């Protein structure tokens, strides 16, 4: 018996039955595997046979190691073993929860103006597989109809698993994979899992979120789609001819890191081309970030990883999923809205939004009430006095509890309608919901006026609904909920990367749950309208599938660069993008490089490419020990002999300039020509008045496709200039008659005096 084998065996033989166990992800040095074992899986399984129920997963692709349920004594002993690189407590991640293809320009003419025939792209995308890690899938949805789809690509190694209420035959040539991973969730839930009759241990989606995101990315075209009459039209995914594979890793209580890692591990083995994760947790070092570690392996194998930025905006520095090898996606509005109106007794009429579809309250004014005691202003459970609200319209402040829950509280207390009013935290952002009673959501400014009116004598109101309107201006607007920079894990990398449609998005839905997701919502619908960076992420994932079809040899970083450098920062009124959080103009900490433009991304002209070795040099420039770097990159021979002097030296498509103790920051970037064989680009720079900038050379001349050219940009914080703001923004643009390759720049000042 090997020393390591004996070590693990003794660990689990000495378990005390009464000790409290927790799930941990164990990072193991793969080179420590004894020669007597042919695979790492055999090694881990053999070492833990004396307590096999403690072993949850073994990881071979996305990660080297396993996850297990351990008591404190077992954990301590494991951490002392030289083969164990690290042991991390299982982290709980959360979900970041028809017209959008047209808004993005994905019409039947998509690609024609840049030389790609639509038919060719459709056919090429048949070979692209989008893997979605979420709450599973409702396979019967028409969004996963495989009519006209050719045979499944020969490269595909995945499958559809059998499980509770899920027949593998429900999969087809469109939905080619469906798996579920629940061991981490089940271990954390204990007996509570057994008692949860609504939780289905199979790929079946009983939540709706996973079906929505999967169909947004690559759902088939479905005519006459709507949510109870709202947003009626054709619903289709961004890459409607690509394949879909779903990995259920999220459950009622959240998404556990051990399950997510198992899903990523399997998706990589199955052969996905794109990984879409509309979930995340708090930010932290990359070696402790389950998603970042799994995504590194995916990136190295040519798999593009797209993740939601989070829904913690407009709070500063609230981002998730900020690793530079991940596409971090924020959310914006589209040019469609669902107006609703509140007519007050003082004859003032205010416009808000709503997706309510039931009987109205009529045209007769109804008493209006707003109280602040006992959290009644928030309409929390049991906070409303039925004697005060019965038969009335109740004003509820947005925040703390879910928006649709507030309406249920009002209804249960006898209220007949609700005005959901934003506070400063949500600003002017309007999110439409399919409420269970007549309700309208309004912004903060309007909310303040309604709250003030509600305190006058005998206030009344009438609520009415305006259906669906298109061509809303201005749009897009950055959603207030979209998480914001700066990037606190690596401040030298600007995040988010870009934004996509994430507000009031129509997509397929699970028929196991009502559109609000509430237990007492008995309505069933085949489509639902949702908002969140959960919705913007699969938009980007689907667009990436199209780019992979058009450019199968491009690396994930080249595709990311194409999307970022062609993103736009002017709305449909030709004005700079606005921020729903404060009503003012947005900036790169909110919108990154801008709003995705799929047509321009197909032919970006130049790209900033990044190799795996470049990412390793980046990681080596951080204050991580060598074993931590090796844990992320899964290369035991990495020595960090080559590393950047500054993490910002990574060949990233954007810049984050930190003026700390130094006034001069200099970066060299390399551009690769992916456009015309012969091309010349001129540079222009926009920076705040407190900064000087120089770029050398000022002209880049290319004589062949694939040719690479470097340039150096020097940023200098001016002396003697009072810096009133601690941050500012600018851009570096390389352009010619055909292309504009734009990189946003953020500037941050600290520790500098005049």
């Amino acid at each position: 018996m090997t020393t390591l084998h004996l070590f693990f065996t003794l660990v689990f033989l000495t378990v005390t039955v009464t000790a409290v166990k927790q799930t941990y992800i164990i990072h193991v040095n793969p080179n420590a595997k004894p020669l007597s074992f042919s695979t790492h899986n055999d090694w881990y399984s053999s070492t833990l046979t004396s307590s096999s129920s403690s072993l949850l997963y073994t990881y071979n692709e996305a990660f080297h190691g396993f996850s297990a349920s351990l008591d404190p004594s077992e954990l301590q002993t494991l951490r002392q073993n030289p083969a164990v690189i690290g042991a991390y407590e299982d982290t709980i991640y959360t979900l970041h929860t028809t017209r959008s293809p047209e808004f993005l320009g994905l019409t039947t003419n998509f690609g024609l103006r840049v030389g790609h025939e639509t038919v060719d792209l459709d056919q090429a995308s048949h070979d692209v597989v989008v893997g979605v890690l979420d709450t599973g899938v409702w396979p019967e949805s028409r969004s996963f109809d495989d009519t006209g789809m050719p045979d499944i690509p020969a490269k595909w190694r995945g499958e559809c698993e059998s499980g509770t209420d899920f027949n593998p035959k429900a999969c087809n040539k469109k939905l080619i994979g469906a798996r579920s991973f629940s061991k981490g969730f089940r271990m954390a839930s204990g007996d509570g899992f057994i008692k949860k009759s609504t939780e289905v241990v199979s790929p079946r989606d009983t939540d709706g979120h996973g079906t929505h995101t999967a169909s947004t990315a690559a759902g088939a075209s479905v005519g006459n789609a709507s949510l109870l009459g709202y947003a009626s039209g054709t619903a289709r995914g961004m890459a409607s001819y690509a394949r879909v594979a779903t990995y259920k890793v999220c459950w009622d209580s959240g998404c556990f890191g051990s399950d997510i890692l198992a899903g990523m591990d399997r998706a990589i083995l199955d052969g996905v081309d794109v990984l879409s994760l509309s979930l995340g947790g708090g930010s932290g070092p990359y070696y402790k970030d389950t998603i970042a570690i799994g995504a590194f392996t995916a990136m190295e194998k040519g798999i593009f990883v797209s993740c939601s930025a989070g829904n913690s905006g407009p709070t500063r520095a609230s981002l998730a999923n900020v690793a530079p090898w991940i596409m971090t996606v924020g959310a914006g509005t589209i040019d469609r809205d669902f107006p609703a109106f509140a007519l007050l007794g003082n004859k003032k009429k205010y416009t808000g939004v709503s997706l309510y579809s039931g009987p109205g309250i009529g045209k007769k004014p109804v008493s209006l009430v707003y109280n602040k005691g006992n959290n009644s202003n928030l309409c929390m459970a049991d906070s409303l006095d039925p004697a005060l609200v019965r038969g009335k319209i109740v004003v509820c402040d947005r925040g703390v509890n879910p928006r649709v829950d507030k309406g249920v509280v009002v209804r249960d207390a006898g209220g007949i309608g609700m005005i959901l009013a934003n506070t400063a935290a949500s600003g002017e952002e309007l999110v439409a919901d399919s409420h269970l009673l007549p309700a309208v959501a309004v912004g903060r400014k309007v909310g303040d006026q309604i709250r003030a009116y509600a305190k006058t004598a005998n206030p009344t109101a009438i609520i009415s609904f305006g259906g669906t309107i298109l061509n809303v201006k201005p749009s897009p607007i950055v959603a207030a909920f979209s998480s914001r920079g700066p990037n606190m894990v690596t401040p030298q990398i600007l995040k988010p990367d870009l934004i996509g449609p994430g507000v009031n998005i129509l997509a397929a839905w699970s028929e196991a749950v009502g559109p609000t997701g509430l237990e007492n919502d008995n309505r069933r619908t085949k489509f639902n309208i949702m908002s969140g960076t959960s919705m913007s992420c699969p938009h980007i994932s689907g667009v990436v599938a199209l780019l992979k079809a058009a450019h199968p040899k491009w690396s994930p970083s080249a595709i990311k660069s194409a999307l970022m450098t062609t993103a736009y920062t002017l709305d449909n009124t030709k004005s700079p993008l606005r921020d729903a959080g404060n009503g003012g103009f947005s900036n790169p900490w909110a919108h990154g490089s801008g709003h995705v433009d799929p047509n321009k991304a197909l032919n970006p002209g130049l790209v900033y490419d990044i190799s795996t070795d470049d990412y390793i040099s980046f990681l080596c420039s951080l204050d991580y020990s060598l074993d931590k770097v090796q844990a992320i990159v899964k290369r035991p021979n990495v020595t960090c002999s080559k590393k950047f002097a500054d993490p910002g030296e990574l060949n990233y498509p954007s810049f984050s300039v930190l003026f700390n103790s130094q006034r001069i920051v200099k970066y060299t970037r390399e551009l690769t020509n992916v456009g015309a064989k012969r091309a010349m680009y001129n540079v222009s720079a926009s920076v705040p008045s407190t900064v000087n900038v120089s770029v050398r050379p000022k002209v880049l001349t290319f004589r062949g496709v694939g040719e690479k050219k470097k340039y150096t940009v020097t940023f200098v914080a001016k002396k003697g200039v009072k810096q009133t703001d601690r941050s500012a923004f600018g851009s570096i643009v390389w352009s010619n008659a055909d292309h504009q390759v734009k990189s946003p720049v953020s500037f941050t000042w600290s520790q500098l005096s005049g």
Side-chain angles (χ1 to χ4, degrees), residues 616-673:
I616 293 174
S617 295
F618 161 81
L619 287 167
C620 289
S621 70
L622 306 178
D623 293 328
Y624 294 171
S625 60
L626 187 59
D627 62 332
K628 297 294 192 297
V629 175
Q630 292 171 344
I632 299 168
V633 305
K634 292 164 283 293
R635 292 188 185 183
N637 59 343
V638 167
T639 63
C640 283
S641 58
K642 180 184 177 183
K643 62 181 180 180
F644 298 140
D646 174 347
E649 291 181 9
L650 184 69
N651 197 43
Y652 212 66
S654 58
F655 296 84
S656 178
V657 178
L658 310 182
F659 292 124
N660 294 325
S661 57
Q662 77 279 16
R663 291 185 183 281
I664 301 175
V665 176
K666 181 183 295 187
Y667 289 132
T668 297
R669 292 285 197 266
E670 183 178 72
L671 284 162
T672 302
N673 181 26

Side-chain angles (χ1 to χ4, degrees), residues 244-263:
V244 178
T246 64
Y247 300 82
K248 185 175 179 179
V249 298
C250 296
W251 307 87
D252 279 356
S253 55
C255 321
F256 288 81
S258 55
D259 295 332
I260 294 170
L261 199 53

Side-chain angles (χ1 to χ4, degrees), residues 103-411:
F103 183 66
L104 291 178
L106 299 180
T107 62
T108 54
N109 293 320
F110 172 65
L112 294 186
R113 50 190 151 148
V114 288
H116 296 280
E117 291 291 342
T118 302
V119 175
D120 293 342
L121 267 185
D122 290 344
Q123 189 155 356
S125 64
H126 286 152
D127 293 329
V128 180
V129 183
V130 181
V132 182
L133 273 69
D134 212 293
T135 64
V137 65
W138 190 264
E140 294 82 7
S141 169
R142 288 185 294 161
S143 292
F144 306 113
D145 178 41
D146 68 349
T147 300
M149 295 288 286
D151 290 341
I152 296 171
K155 68 174 184 178
W156 181 243
R157 299 181 295 276
E159 65 177 29
C160 288
E161 298 176 348
S162 178
T164 305
D165 197 25
F166 195 92
N167 188 332
K169 293 181 180 179
C171 291
N172 53 31
K173 295 177 182 179
K174 177 66 174 177
L175 178 64
I176 64 173
R179 301 181 186 270
S180 71
F181 303 85
S182 62
K183 293 178 181 178
F185 160 68
R186 295 172 72 173
M187 187 63 68
S189 301
D191 291 339
F193 171 78
I194 305 299
K195 298 173 183 177
K196 282 182 178 288
S197 59
T198 59
E199 200 66 86
V200 176
V201 185
S202 79
R204 170 74 61 183
D205 181 14
T206 57
D207 177 275
H209 192 277
T211 300
H212 198 282
T213 56
S215 62
T216 297
S221 181
V222 180
N224 298 316
S226 72
L227 167 62
L228 305 173
Y230 285 99
S232 181
T234 298
R236 69 180 185 90
M238 300 300 100
S240 56
Y241 290 90
R243 318 284 181 154
V244 178
T246 64
Y247 300 82
K248 185 175 179 179
V249 298
C250 296
W251 307 87
D252 279 356
S253 55
C255 321
F256 288 81
S258 55
D259 295 332
I260 294 170
L261 199 53
M264 296 182 81
D265 204 63
R266 188 66 248 181
I268 293 169
L269 280 170
D270 286 348
V272 302
D273 299 291
V274 182
L275 272 174
S276 186
L277 291 84
S278 291
L279 51 92
S283 58
Y286 301 129
Y287 59 83
K288 287 187 176 182
D289 186 335
T290 300
I291 295 174
I293 293 172
F296 191 95
T297 299
M299 172 276 302
E300 192 171 13
K301 294 179 180 292
I303 301 167
F304 191 100
V305 182
S306 174
C307 293
S308 48
N311 294 344
S312 299
T315 303
R316 183 180 181 273
S318 53
L319 293 165
N321 302 316
V322 296
W325 49 89
I326 289 174
M327 174 68 92
T328 310
V329 185
T333 63
I334 62 174
D335 62 345
R336 179 181 62 199
D337 213 348
F338 310 100
F341 310 98
L343 175 61
L344 305 186
N346 60 8
K347 306 302 181 184
K348 291 185 178 179
K349 187 176 183 179
Y350 297 105
T351 301
V353 296
S354 182
L355 293 171
Y356 176 72
S357 60
I361 59 175
K363 298 182 179 180
K364 185 178 179 180
V366 175
S367 294
L368 184 70
V369 61
Y370 174 69
N371 289 311
K372 298 202 68 171
N374 189 35
N375 286 327
S376 59
N377 62 306
L378 291 167
C379 299
M380 304 281 285
D382 301 320
S383 67
L384 298 179
D385 182 354
L388 294 177
V389 305
R390 186 176 292 112
K392 299 178 182 178
I393 295 173
V394 181
V395 179
C396 300
D397 290 344
R398 180 176 169 182
V400 185
N401 56 330
R403 300 181 300 272
V404 291
D405 281 6
K406 296 175 187 289
V408 174
V409 171
V410 171
R411 186 191 65 178

